[in-house]
Amino acid sequence: MLRPVIYASIIVLLSLAALAVFSPQRLVNMLAWADVKSKVVKNLSYGNEMRQKLDIYIPAQSESAPNVVVFLYGGNWNSGSRGQYGFVGKALASRGIMAVVADYRLSPEVAYPVFIEDTAQAVSVDTETHRRIWG
């Protein structure tokens, strides 16, 4: 009778400890399932600034070109990182959808409309980037 309560208490304590050490996004990224057939191309530059980088999650080969989702995380234009959202790219790629997760420059370093210009630049694929992704 007392054992289930003890086990439940241990699970709760371990969960709280994990949340104290890792952010919820990092925990989800660590727990995200691995689709061994999909691949990720990380740290592609779309500009000259340090935060102008993106990751592309490519689904396993299919007979037709995949749909593409560009994921722009929130953060009030002053916080966030594409590395926090790998689980989004993995989940979409495992379902046959190509995902682009891009960083952009943040406030107060830059001001509006630079964030919007960065995201527009991130989704325009140049020839060199295309070669690096598809070979």
Side-chain angles (χ1 to χ4, degrees):
M1 185 78 150
L2 192 55
R3 270 191 188 183
V5 172
I6 292 172
Y7 291 142
S9 299
I10 291 171
I11 290 171
V12 168
L13 289 174
L14 289 174
S15 299
L16 289 173
L19 286 173
V21 174
F22 302 109
S23 71
Q25 290 157 329
R26 187 162 178 199
L27 280 174
V28 172
N29 275 327
M30 288 174 20
L31 298 174
W33 56 92
D35 178 3
V36 294
K37 295 178 184 173
S38 297
K39 70 176 187 174
V40 61
V41 180
K42 291 191 171 213
N43 297 316
L44 288 172
S45 294
Y46 66 85
N48 296 324
E49 301 298 323
M50 190 162 79
R51 285 194 53 90
Q52 290 179 315
K53 295 194 186 295
L54 57 84
D55 298 338
I56 301 177
Y57 296 82
I58 304 167
Q61 292 292 354
S62 65
E63 293 186 19
S64 60
N67 291 322
V68 178
V69 169
V70 177
F71 180 79
L72 302 172
Y73 53 84
N76 297 321
W77 303 114
N78 63 17
S79 65
S81 165
R82 72 184 187 284
Q84 296 173 298
Y85 297 96
F87 68 93
V88 174
K90 290 175 188 176
L92 290 169
S94 73
R95 289 168 174 76
I97 301 167
M98 182 184 301
V100 177
V101 182
D103 274 336
Y104 44 83
R105 291 175 285 173
L106 301 172
S107 175
E109 191 177 300
V110 296
Y112 177 85
V114 171
F115 327 112
I116 307 302
E117 294 165 352
D118 278 2
T119 56
Q121 190 175 348
V123 298
S124 65
V125 177
D126 62 24
T127 305
E128 178 58 29
T129 303
H130 189 271
R131 269 196 294 266
R132 286 193 294 176
I133 296 169
W134 303 112

